[in-house]
PDB file of all heavy atoms in Angstrom:
ATOM      1  N   VAL A   9     118.356 199.035 227.536  1.00 50.00           N
ATOM      2  CA  VAL A   9     118.268 197.789 226.800  1.00 50.00           C
ATOM      3  C   VAL A   9     117.064 197.836 225.876  1.00 50.00           C
ATOM      4  O   VAL A   9     115.982 198.244 226.257  1.00 50.00           O
ATOM      5  CB  VAL A   9     118.144 196.593 227.763  1.00 50.00           C
ATOM      6  CG1 VAL A   9     117.949 195.298 226.983  1.00 50.00           C
ATOM      7  CG2 VAL A   9     119.377 196.513 228.634  1.00 50.00           C
ATOM      8  N   THR A  15     123.504 197.127 227.585  1.00 56.00           N
ATOM      9  CA  THR A  15     124.306 197.777 228.607  1.00 56.00           C
ATOM     10  C   THR A  15     125.508 196.890 228.913  1.00 56.00           C
ATOM     11  O   THR A  15     125.658 195.803 228.355  1.00 56.00           O
ATOM     12  CB  THR A  15     123.485 198.000 229.892  1.00 56.00           C
ATOM     13  OG1 THR A  15     123.206 196.728 230.490  1.00 56.00           O
ATOM     14  CG2 THR A  15     122.171 198.717 229.591  1.00 56.00           C
ATOM     15  N   MET A  41     130.508 166.515 212.418  1.00 95.00           N
ATOM     16  CA  MET A  41     131.836 165.904 212.379  1.00 95.00           C
ATOM     17  C   MET A  41     131.854 164.587 213.152  1.00 95.00           C
ATOM     18  O   MET A  41     132.411 163.583 212.677  1.00 95.00           O
ATOM     19  CB  MET A  41     132.884 166.863 212.945  1.00 95.00           C
ATOM     20  CG  MET A  41     133.133 168.085 212.102  1.00 95.00           C
ATOM     21  SD  MET A  41     134.548 169.072 212.705  1.00 95.00           S
ATOM     22  CE  MET A  41     135.908 167.989 212.259  1.00 95.00           C
ATOM     23  N   LEU A  55     122.496 160.520 223.724  1.00 86.00           N
ATOM     24  CA  LEU A  55     121.336 159.632 223.653  1.00 86.00           C
ATOM     25  C   LEU A  55     120.761 159.634 222.237  1.00 86.00           C
ATOM     26  O   LEU A  55     120.307 158.599 221.744  1.00 86.00           O
ATOM     27  CB  LEU A  55     120.271 160.084 224.655  1.00 86.00           C
ATOM     28  CG  LEU A  55     120.642 159.955 226.145  1.00 86.00           C
ATOM     29  CD1 LEU A  55     119.528 160.530 227.008  1.00 86.00           C
ATOM     30  CD2 LEU A  55     120.906 158.499 226.512  1.00 86.00           C
ATOM     31  N   LEU A  58     122.863 157.367 220.174  1.00 86.00           N
ATOM     32  CA  LEU A  58     122.586 155.963 220.490  1.00 86.00           C
ATOM     33  C   LEU A  58     121.310 155.491 219.787  1.00 86.00           C
ATOM     34  O   LEU A  58     121.280 154.396 219.212  1.00 86.00           O
ATOM     35  CB  LEU A  58     122.442 155.790 222.005  1.00 86.00           C
ATOM     36  CG  LEU A  58     123.728 155.881 222.838  1.00 86.00           C
ATOM     37  CD1 LEU A  58     123.409 155.800 224.321  1.00 86.00           C
ATOM     38  CD2 LEU A  58     124.696 154.769 222.453  1.00 86.00           C
ATOM     39  N   TYR A  61     122.047 155.264 215.930  1.00 83.00           N
ATOM     40  CA  TYR A  61     122.838 154.100 215.537  1.00 83.00           C
ATOM     41  C   TYR A  61     122.066 152.796 215.751  1.00 83.00           C
ATOM     42  O   TYR A  61     122.301 151.807 215.048  1.00 83.00           O
ATOM     43  CB  TYR A  61     124.147 154.057 216.329  1.00 83.00           C
ATOM     44  CG  TYR A  61     125.094 155.200 216.022  1.00 83.00           C
ATOM     45  CD1 TYR A  61     125.931 155.729 217.001  1.00 83.00           C
ATOM     46  CD2 TYR A  61     125.156 155.763 214.749  1.00 83.00           C
ATOM     47  CE1 TYR A  61     126.807 156.773 216.729  1.00 83.00           C
ATOM     48  CE2 TYR A  61     126.016 156.809 214.467  1.00 83.00           C
ATOM     49  CZ  TYR A  61     126.840 157.310 215.465  1.00 83.00           C
ATOM     50  OH  TYR A  61     127.697 158.348 215.187  1.00 83.00           O
ATOM     51  N   TYR A  79     112.089 171.010 229.494  1.00 88.00           N
ATOM     52  CA  TYR A  79     111.663 172.406 229.433  1.00 88.00           C
ATOM     53  C   TYR A  79     110.862 172.827 230.662  1.00 88.00           C
ATOM     54  O   TYR A  79     110.852 174.007 231.027  1.00 88.00           O
ATOM     55  CB  TYR A  79     110.874 172.667 228.148  1.00 88.00           C
ATOM     56  CG  TYR A  79     111.720 172.561 226.905  1.00 88.00           C
ATOM     57  CD1 TYR A  79     111.373 171.704 225.873  1.00 88.00           C
ATOM     58  CD2 TYR A  79     112.886 173.313 226.777  1.00 88.00           C
ATOM     59  CE1 TYR A  79     112.166 171.593 224.742  1.00 88.00           C
ATOM     60  CE2 TYR A  79     113.681 173.213 225.657  1.00 88.00           C
ATOM     61  CZ  TYR A  79     113.314 172.347 224.632  1.00 88.00           C
ATOM     62  OH  TYR A  79     114.104 172.240 223.523  1.00 88.00           O
ATOM     63  N   SER A  96     114.650 177.578 221.234  1.00 94.00           N
ATOM     64  CA  SER A  96     115.046 178.064 219.914  1.00 94.00           C
ATOM     65  C   SER A  96     116.381 177.456 219.481  1.00 94.00           C
ATOM     66  O   SER A  96     116.548 177.044 218.333  1.00 94.00           O
ATOM     67  CB  SER A  96     115.150 179.593 219.926  1.00 94.00           C
ATOM     68  OG  SER A  96     113.917 180.187 220.280  1.00 94.00           O
ATOM     69  N   ILE A 120     140.420 160.949 215.663  1.00 95.00           N
ATOM     70  CA  ILE A 120     141.028 161.883 216.611  1.00 95.00           C
ATOM     71  C   ILE A 120     140.669 163.318 216.251  1.00 95.00           C
ATOM     72  O   ILE A 120     140.310 164.135 217.117  1.00 95.00           O
ATOM     73  CB  ILE A 120     142.561 161.705 216.645  1.00 95.00           C
ATOM     74  CG1 ILE A 120     142.925 160.357 217.273  1.00 95.00           C
ATOM     75  CG2 ILE A 120     143.205 162.847 217.432  1.00 95.00           C
ATOM     76  CD1 ILE A 120     144.417 160.106 217.340  1.00 95.00           C
ATOM     77  N   LEU A 124     138.449 165.833 218.621  1.00 96.00           N
ATOM     78  CA  LEU A 124     138.990 167.089 219.133  1.00 96.00           C
ATOM     79  C   LEU A 124     138.257 168.301 218.564  1.00 96.00           C
ATOM     80  O   LEU A 124     137.815 169.187 219.311  1.00 96.00           O
ATOM     81  CB  LEU A 124     140.483 167.183 218.823  1.00 96.00           C
ATOM     82  CG  LEU A 124     141.381 166.180 219.548  1.00 96.00           C
ATOM     83  CD1 LEU A 124     142.822 166.318 219.085  1.00 96.00           C
ATOM     84  CD2 LEU A 124     141.302 166.371 221.059  1.00 96.00           C
ATOM     85  N   ARG A 141     122.468 183.175 228.467  1.00 84.00           N
ATOM     86  CA  ARG A 141     121.405 182.556 229.267  1.00 84.00           C
ATOM     87  C   ARG A 141     120.539 181.629 228.436  1.00 84.00           C
ATOM     88  O   ARG A 141     119.306 181.726 228.391  1.00 84.00           O
ATOM     89  CB  ARG A 141     120.552 183.630 229.938  1.00 84.00           C
ATOM     90  CG  ARG A 141     121.327 184.529 230.878  1.00 84.00           C
ATOM     91  CD  ARG A 141     121.894 183.783 232.047  1.00 84.00           C
ATOM     92  NE  ARG A 141     120.858 183.306 232.956  1.00 84.00           N
ATOM     93  CZ  ARG A 141     121.091 182.493 233.984  1.00 84.00           C
ATOM     94  NH1 ARG A 141     122.309 182.046 234.219  1.00 84.00           N
ATOM     95  NH2 ARG A 141     120.091 182.107 234.753  1.00 84.00           N
ATOM     96  N   ILE A 149     120.653 172.063 230.819  1.00 77.00           N
ATOM     97  CA  ILE A 149     119.740 172.762 231.723  1.00 77.00           C
ATOM     98  C   ILE A 149     120.025 172.359 233.161  1.00 77.00           C
ATOM     99  O   ILE A 149     120.119 173.208 234.056  1.00 77.00           O
ATOM    100  CB  ILE A 149     118.278 172.447 231.364  1.00 77.00           C
ATOM    101  CG1 ILE A 149     117.920 173.055 229.997  1.00 77.00           C
ATOM    102  CG2 ILE A 149     117.333 172.962 232.438  1.00 77.00           C
ATOM    103  CD1 ILE A 149     116.543 172.671 229.511  1.00 77.00           C
ATOM    104  N   VAL A 165     129.977 169.189 236.009  1.00 81.00           N
ATOM    105  CA  VAL A 165     128.720 168.464 236.226  1.00 81.00           C
ATOM    106  C   VAL A 165     128.316 167.725 234.955  1.00 81.00           C
ATOM    107  O   VAL A 165     127.964 166.540 234.984  1.00 81.00           O
ATOM    108  CB  VAL A 165     127.596 169.428 236.650  1.00 81.00           C
ATOM    109  CG1 VAL A 165     126.247 168.719 236.658  1.00 81.00           C
ATOM    110  CG2 VAL A 165     127.890 169.996 238.034  1.00 81.00           C
ATOM    111  N   LEU A 167     130.214 166.822 232.521  1.00 73.00           N
ATOM    112  CA  LEU A 167     131.167 165.761 232.224  1.00 73.00           C
ATOM    113  C   LEU A 167     130.756 164.469 232.918  1.00 73.00           C
ATOM    114  O   LEU A 167     130.795 163.387 232.322  1.00 73.00           O
ATOM    115  CB  LEU A 167     132.571 166.181 232.670  1.00 73.00           C
ATOM    116  CG  LEU A 167     133.680 165.141 232.469  1.00 73.00           C
ATOM    117  CD1 LEU A 167     133.804 164.751 231.005  1.00 73.00           C
ATOM    118  CD2 LEU A 167     135.007 165.660 233.004  1.00 73.00           C
ATOM    119  N   ASP A 170     127.751 163.116 231.155  1.00 72.00           N
ATOM    120  CA  ASP A 170     128.126 162.620 229.829  1.00 72.00           C
ATOM    121  C   ASP A 170     128.807 161.259 229.910  1.00 72.00           C
ATOM    122  O   ASP A 170     128.573 160.381 229.074  1.00 72.00           O
ATOM    123  CB  ASP A 170     129.061 163.612 229.140  1.00 72.00           C
ATOM    124  CG  ASP A 170     128.339 164.875 228.695  1.00 72.00           C
ATOM    125  OD1 ASP A 170     127.098 164.882 228.741  1.00 72.00           O
ATOM    126  OD2 ASP A 170     129.012 165.835 228.298  1.00 72.00           O
ATOM    127  N   SER A 172     128.287 159.023 232.040  1.00 78.00           N
ATOM    128  CA  SER A 172     127.256 158.018 232.296  1.00 78.00           C
ATOM    129  C   SER A 172     126.582 157.575 231.007  1.00 78.00           C
ATOM    130  O   SER A 172     126.316 156.385 230.796  1.00 78.00           O
ATOM    131  CB  SER A 172     126.201 158.592 233.257  1.00 78.00           C
ATOM    132  OG  SER A 172     126.785 158.937 234.491  1.00 78.00           O
ATOM    133  N   LEU A 174     127.975 157.781 228.002  1.00 74.00           N
ATOM    134  CA  LEU A 174     128.965 157.055 227.210  1.00 74.00           C
ATOM    135  C   LEU A 174     129.126 155.619 227.693  1.00 74.00           C
ATOM    136  O   LEU A 174     129.456 154.728 226.909  1.00 74.00           O
ATOM    137  CB  LEU A 174     130.309 157.788 227.256  1.00 74.00           C
ATOM    138  CG  LEU A 174     130.373 159.100 226.465  1.00 74.00           C
ATOM    139  CD1 LEU A 174     131.678 159.833 226.738  1.00 74.00           C
ATOM    140  CD2 LEU A 174     130.218 158.837 224.972  1.00 74.00           C
ATOM    141  N   VAL A 179     127.028 149.213 224.423  1.00 77.00           N
ATOM    142  CA  VAL A 179     126.026 148.314 223.852  1.00 77.00           C
ATOM    143  C   VAL A 179     126.057 148.353 222.332  1.00 77.00           C
ATOM    144  O   VAL A 179     125.801 147.335 221.675  1.00 77.00           O
ATOM    145  CB  VAL A 179     124.616 148.692 224.356  1.00 77.00           C
ATOM    146  CG1 VAL A 179     123.542 147.819 223.717  1.00 77.00           C
ATOM    147  CG2 VAL A 179     124.552 148.598 225.870  1.00 77.00           C
ATOM    148  N   ARG A 208     132.870 185.466 236.544  1.00 55.00           N
ATOM    149  CA  ARG A 208     133.650 186.250 235.594  1.00 55.00           C
ATOM    150  C   ARG A 208     132.772 186.906 234.540  1.00 55.00           C
ATOM    151  O   ARG A 208     133.003 188.020 234.130  1.00 55.00           O
ATOM    152  CB  ARG A 208     134.670 185.362 234.883  1.00 55.00           C
ATOM    153  CG  ARG A 208     135.926 185.085 235.660  1.00 55.00           C
ATOM    154  CD  ARG A 208     136.935 184.388 234.779  1.00 55.00           C
ATOM    155  NE  ARG A 208     138.069 183.912 235.552  1.00 55.00           N
ATOM    156  CZ  ARG A 208     138.781 182.846 235.208  1.00 55.00           C
ATOM    157  NH1 ARG A 208     138.457 182.149 234.143  1.00 55.00           N
ATOM    158  NH2 ARG A 208     139.796 182.476 235.951  1.00 55.00           N
TER     159      ARG A 208
END
Side-chain angles (χ1 to χ4, degrees):
V9 176
T15 68
M41 292 188 71
L55 294 176
L58 287 176
Y61 294 147
Y79 293 125
S96 301
I120 291 180
L124 293 176
R141 300 296 292 172
I149 293 174
V165 171
L167 178 59
D170 288 349
S172 299
L174 288 172
V179 177
R208 279 189 189 151

